[in-house]
């Protein structure tokens, strides 16, 4: 493979997320060869086949999005692996971890392998697939090892993926070893709220049905299971400040994440954006936004992920409650956070930590998440001065819409490399011959809290 020198880049080092002063940005030259980062302090005249002059630009580790729904197989009218991976590449996402609620759901080892084969044929970027928990597939969950983890829906889902009975949850936590993640909304609370409100076509009722209490009950339940069974557990898409009560006490078994829509949207946005911001868990209040931002900065929440879950606009435009929950975000998530850097709210090392380093550590994705010698050359070059407006028609996701349509952001990816090969550039488009690969998952390293210096090789 050709050797590449990225010269005069402002290199972003994420730190560890535990010591608030860690992380830095410094100008340097990154030498890449055989798909790996060879040197981050290379000579500007180092022997290479290609030189990229990155003067004035910032080089970040490629984003690891640990929660996406790419809909293949079975729901490809909404999204598919080819279109979604193009969106990833254009958005600076070099590795995605995809959820099991496809048709059929990935609830067996062979089901996961089938999705891996599809991705090997179609995906421009790297991929991993969770195995889904059901009330009666514990043996399958215990037998698989080379996947990111187990996904549980503690709250409504499709098919037989809902796991709400305590006995089934106890078995999963007691009899498996893979890290677990969960959608935490208490099903009985959601149903009771819906019954109390009665038939409604008011979209704002979505946040009253899927309220703070539903999230709190399920998150408390799941985190108590994790602590009691000493089993690593990751709380997906935290949506309320109240849930942080169950995450603030340090534990080697607990991590959590937040999504851009729960940081940036609030219930008042239903009037402006309608079902485009209808999500599960639902969007909440400005106070919740503020609490979640602070939790990120305090390392109470470790990861930013998208929960990219597109539907067609025709589906979304149905009247509530026929309109489905979910939105596309994977190609705009990094730019949304770079815009927050531009606004002075957060720093580039924090973005690199939350979106690249931390998810790699949580899920044991070796060689990912940092710019360091020996790591995989999954990289994204960004221009912090570039201004661009998000437009539905310009989206690469198959659904071709965004809840941020019409919003202008400052700070955008301009080049993305996967394994040292340029997969996308703003000036030239995509390398359609490129294919990502399945990373190695090493859960023996102990996850986020045991890998403060990065996940390494």
């Amino acid at each position: 493979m050709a050797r590449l020198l990225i010269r005069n880049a402002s290199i972003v080092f994420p730190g560890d997320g535990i010591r608030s002063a860690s992380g830095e940005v410094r100008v340097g030259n990154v030498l890449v060869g055989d798909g790996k980062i060879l040197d981050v302090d290379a000579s500007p005249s180092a022997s290479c086949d290609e030189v990229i002059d990155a003067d004035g630009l910032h080089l970040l580790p490629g984003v690891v999005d640990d929660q996406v729904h790419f809909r293949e197989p079975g729901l490809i009218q909404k999204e598919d692996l080819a279109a979604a991976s193009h969106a990833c590449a254009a958005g600076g996402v070099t590795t995605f971890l995809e959820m099991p609620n496809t048709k059929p759901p990935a609830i067996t080892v062979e089901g996961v392998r089938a999705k891996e084969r599809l991705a090997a044929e179609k995906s421009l970027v790297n991929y991993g697939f969770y195995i889904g928990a059901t009330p009666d597939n514990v043996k399958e969950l215990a037998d698989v090892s080379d996947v990111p983890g187990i996904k549980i829906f503690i709250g409504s889902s499709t098919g037989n993926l809902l796991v709400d009975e305590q006995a089934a949850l106890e078995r999963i936590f007691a009899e498996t070893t893979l890290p677990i993640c969960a959608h935490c909304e208490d099903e009985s609370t959601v149903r009771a709220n819906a019954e109390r409100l009665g038939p409604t076509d008011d979209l704002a009722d979505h946040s009253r049905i899927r309220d703070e209490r539903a999230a709190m009950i399920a998150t408390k339940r799941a985190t108590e299971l994790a602590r009691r069974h000493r089993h690593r557990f990751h709380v997906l898409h935290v949506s309320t400040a109240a849930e942080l009560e169950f995450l603030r006490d340090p534990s080697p078994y607990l991590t959590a994440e937040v999504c851009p829509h729960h940081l940036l949207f609030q219930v008042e946005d239903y009037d402006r954006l309608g079902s485009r911001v209808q999500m599960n868990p639902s969007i909440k209040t400005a106070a919740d936004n503020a609490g979640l931002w602070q939790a990120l900065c305090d390392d109470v929440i470790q990861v930013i992920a998208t929960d990219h879950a597109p539907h067609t606009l025709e589906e979304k435009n149905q009247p509530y409650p026929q309109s489905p929950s979910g939105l596309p975000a994977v190609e705009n998530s990094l730019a949304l956070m770079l815009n927050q850097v531009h606004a002075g709210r957060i720093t580039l090392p924090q973005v690199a930590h939350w979106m690249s380093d931390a998810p790699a550590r949580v899920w044991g994705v070796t060689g990912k998440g940092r710019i360091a010698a020996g790591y995989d050359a999954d990289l994204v070059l960004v221009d912090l001065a570039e201004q661009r407006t998000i437009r539905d028609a310009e989206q690469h996701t198959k659904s071709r819409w965004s809840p941020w349509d019409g919003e202008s952001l400052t700070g955008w990816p301009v080049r993305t490399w996967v394994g040292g090969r340029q997969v996308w550039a703003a000036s030239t488009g995509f390398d359609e011959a490129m294919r990502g690969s399945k990373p190695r998952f090493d859960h023996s390293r102990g996850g986020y809290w045991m890998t403060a210096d990065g996940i390494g090789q």
Side-chain angles (χ1 to χ4, degrees), residues 62-66 88 92-97 125-128 365 368 378 418 437 439 441:
V63 172
V64 179
D65 192 332
D66 79 355
C88 284
V93 176
T94 54
T95 301
F96 66 79
L97 305 181
V125 302
N126 303 318
Y127 49 83
V365 191
K368 308 293 186 189
D378 296 344
V418 175
S437 60
F441 301 100

Side-chain angles (χ1 to χ4, degrees), residues 111-342:
V112 173
R113 298 291 173 258
K115 292 175 76 170
E116 291 171 351
R117 290 191 292 269
L118 283 171
E121 294 175 4
K122 299 181 177 184
S123 180
L124 300 186
V125 302
N126 303 318
Y127 49 83
F129 297 94
Y130 297 91
I131 187 168
T134 74
D136 52 12
N137 74 335
V138 173
K139 186 178 186 306
E140 290 278 352
L141 304 180
D143 285 348
V144 67
S145 59
D146 57 339
V147 300
I150 297 166
K151 167 67 179 290
I152 307 176
F153 288 86
I154 308 176
S156 60
S157 181
T158 55
N160 62 345
L161 281 171
L162 173 62
V163 183
D164 212 35
E165 294 297 325
Q166 188 68 21
L169 289 168
E170 295 281 357
R171 283 195 66 202
I172 293 168
F173 275 85
E175 298 178 25
T176 68
T177 59
L178 286 175
I180 295 171
C181 60
H183 178 122
C184 293
E185 286 185 293
D186 182 64
E187 180 68 6
S188 61
T189 301
V190 169
R191 290 176 179 173
N193 287 341
E195 185 176 346
R196 174 176 51 82
L197 285 169
T200 178
D201 59 2
D202 183 354
L203 190 56
D205 280 339
H206 190 69
S207 290
R208 300 181 183 107
I209 292 169
R210 295 181 173 275
D211 64 358
E212 174 187 278
R213 187 166 175 269
M216 283 186 66
I217 290 171
T219 298
K220 179 182 180 182
R221 182 185 189 188
T223 54
E224 286 177 348
L225 279 162
R227 292 179 192 272
R228 183 155 41 80
H229 288 283
R230 299 184 177 184
H231 196 127
R232 290 206 336 256
F233 178 72
H234 186 68
V235 184
L236 297 171
H237 43 44
V238 177
S239 63
T240 75
E243 289 168 271
L244 303 174
E245 172 188 344
F246 312 116
L247 298 169
R248 286 198 181 278
D249 290 339
S251 168
Y253 307 110
L254 294 178
T255 51
E257 76 184 35
V258 67
C259 301
H261 46 271
H262 289 130
L263 291 169
L264 300 172
F265 292 133
Q266 51 200 255
V267 289
E268 287 77 12
D269 289 316
Y270 284 126
D271 289 339
R272 180 171 61 94
L273 296 169
S275 60
R276 287 193 178 212
V277 292
Q278 179 187 333
M279 285 295 304
N280 299 341
S282 65
I283 57 173
K284 303 299 195 302
T285 69
D288 290 303
N289 298 155
L292 296 171
W293 277 114
Q294 189 60 53
L296 275 168
C297 295
D298 292 343
D299 203 34
V300 175
I301 293 175
Q302 292 75 32
V303 171
I304 293 177
T306 62
D307 195 12
H308 176 95
H311 302 276
T312 67
L313 269 180
E314 182 181 8
E315 292 169 323
K316 289 293 279 187
N317 287 337
Q318 295 178 97
Y320 185 78
Q322 284 75 39
S323 51
S325 294
L327 56 79
V330 76
E331 65 197 280
N332 298 312
S333 59
L334 178 56
L336 287 164
M337 293 304 112
L338 296 178
N339 191 59
Q340 295 296 312
V341 172
H342 174 73

